[in-house]
Amino acid sequence: MKRDELVWFLRRNRLAVQASAAPDGSPQAAVVGFAVSDDLEIVFDTVETTRKSLNLRADPRIALVIGWDDAVTVQIEGLADFPAGAELARLQECYFRVYPDGRDRLS
């Protein structure tokens, strides 16, 4: 799949299953709403006290499964990061275009 096809496919979906590992190595998965930037950055929000946040801060390896309609999925693996400053503001705007109510959840 070409990059532009992947971005198109990802943007057709709004939910992903994210997987991470707990400090003891046990698996953890959660459904998250996400957005994707033009640079193929996948953005989701979470509260700092969730298992996924705690897991990813300790071990940033992440896998996401996106899609399932029409029996088509994409699995993306990589490293999660926790942006700050201007990068955070840029990625929040990307997320808010898909989830405008995310602004209300900031508090």
Side-chain angles (χ1 to χ4, degrees):
M1 182 178 289
K2 294 179 184 175
R3 181 185 180 97
D4 61 333
E5 294 171 327
L6 179 57
V7 170
W8 177 83
F9 175 83
L10 294 174
R11 287 184 173 159
R12 286 185 41 224
N13 294 275
R14 293 188 53 163
L15 298 176
V17 175
Q18 75 77 40
S20 60
D24 68 1
S26 61
Q28 185 269 325
V31 174
V32 295
F34 75 95
V36 62
S37 75
D38 292 338
D39 293 327
L40 203 52
E41 298 159 302
I42 297 173
V43 182
F44 65 91
D45 71 345
T46 189
V47 178
E48 289 185 14
T49 56
T50 62
R51 289 189 306 162
K52 64 183 154 291
S53 180
L54 296 171
N55 292 347
L56 292 169
R57 285 188 184 277
D59 180 349
R61 293 176 298 163
I62 187 171
L64 297 157
V65 176
I66 299 166
W68 39 81
D69 294 338
D70 303 319
V72 178
T73 64
V74 170
Q75 179 170 324
I76 298 175
E77 300 166 356
L79 298 175
D81 68 354
F82 295 82
E87 182 183 18
L88 175 59
R90 179 182 63 80
L91 292 171
Q92 283 175 324
E93 287 306 313
C94 174
Y95 183 81
F96 295 152
R97 282 192 291 278
V98 177
Y99 294 97
D101 62 319
R103 292 181 194 283
D104 298 332
R105 293 194 307 267
L106 279 177
S107 59

